[in-house]
Structure formats: C-alpha cells, structure tokens
Amino acid sequence: MTATDRAANFATGYALLHAAAAIGDMWVQTDTCARIKGATDTNPVIDRDEKAGTQTVHGTREGQLACLHHCATYTATQAAALLVGSRVLGLRLKPGRVAAALAVSFATHYVADRRLPLARLAKATGKGAFYERLTPICGSFELDQAWHHGWEAAAALVLAR
C-alpha cells in the first residue's frame, strides 16, 4: 500500500467515522441511554413518574448497561458508514484494521460516556471549571466531543495501515 493509499484511507476513514459518530451520538442514541449512561451508585439518576407517584433510582449497573447499549449502537453506526463508504469509494479496508478501529472507538467512547473518567481527566488537566460550565456553552459536552473527535482520528490512523 502506498503512502497515497494510506492517506486516502485515513481521510476517508476519519470523515466516515466522524459523520457516523454524530449520527450515532445524537440520532441513534435513545433518551434512556442518554439519561442513564453516566449513573453510579454514588451519583444515581432518578426517574420520577409524577402521575403514578413513583420513582426509579438508576445506579452503577444500570448506567453501565445503558452505556454499553449506547456504545454498541454508536459503533454499529460507524461500522455501517465504513462499510457503505468504502464500497461506494472502492476502498479496500482491511477487515482486521476495521475491527481494531471500531474497538478503539467503542472503548474510548464508553470511557468518556460513563462521565466520571472524563470529569476526572478534566480536573487533572486544569479543565475542571470548564467541564462544569453550563453557559454560554456546556463545557462537559464540548470536552466530550473533543475527546471523541481525537479518538476518531486515532481510529482512522488504525484504518489507514
């Protein structure tokens, strides 16, 4: 494979991973996963049903399962984009490289979307106040997206070889 082929695979892979990430994160993710995926026993998510007068407390296990479900659908969205995009463009992506790139995407997405690891990283790097900021932008969302974009580039590098 030539350097030009690797560059084309990287650029195409990144574009496809990036577009599919936005779709998987914003359109495919369920509201339930979005609400519960960061839940822990020490920081639970509480759903209240005002009509029934009940509440459901979601802890660590529910958060982990919701995050796994979201990451599975997110990664499946990226896999579909890579499959369709590479077929349309005639790229010959190596299946092992595609699997490795999707594994990088899945694992790093899970880490960030459990929320606490990214919050800790933000604090450790001096970005804790920004992470907590809600206006005029939501710092945790912006840092989350930056994390994902960086790892999408890393996954595209895996694809390019």
Side-chain angles (χ1 to χ4, degrees):
M1 179 178 287
T2 69
T4 302
D5 292 335
R6 286 191 298 275
N9 283 354
F10 170 79
T12 304
Y14 180 76
L16 293 169
L17 288 168
H18 186 69
I23 293 166
D25 233 5
M26 306 302 169
W27 287 96
V28 176
Q29 179 175 207
T30 67
D31 180 62
T32 300
C33 286
R35 283 184 299 101
I36 297 173
K37 66 186 178 185
T40 63
D41 292 340
T42 57
N43 191 20
V45 172
I46 301 171
D47 286 334
R48 290 182 175 83
D49 183 339
E50 300 300 328
K51 283 186 177 181
T54 60
Q55 70 178 25
T56 304
V57 178
H58 304 282
T60 300
R61 186 70 181 142
E62 293 92 344
Q64 291 168 334
L65 291 173
C67 196
L68 285 170
H69 181 266
H70 165 55
C71 289
T73 61
Y74 171 92
T75 305
T77 303
Q78 287 185 315
L82 286 173
L83 176 67
V84 171
S86 65
R87 290 262 170 106
V88 167
L89 296 171
L91 295 178
R92 295 179 186 255
L93 299 176
K94 296 176 182 174
R97 292 284 179 181
V98 170
L102 292 171
V104 166
S105 183
F106 181 96
T108 59
H109 200 87
Y110 182 88
V111 167
D113 278 16
R114 284 296 289 143
R115 297 198 177 112
L116 187 56
L118 199 60
R120 286 180 177 157
L121 179 61
K123 186 175 181 180
T125 58
K127 295 289 184 189
F130 180 67
Y131 184 87
E132 297 294 328
R133 186 171 298 138
L134 296 175
T135 59
I137 60 170
C138 179
S140 60
F141 177 77
E142 294 296 332
L143 289 174
D144 172 88
Q145 291 302 295
W147 169 272
H148 295 324
H149 299 330
W151 284 107
E152 289 158 13
L157 286 171
V158 172
L159 280 174
R161 297 294 303 157

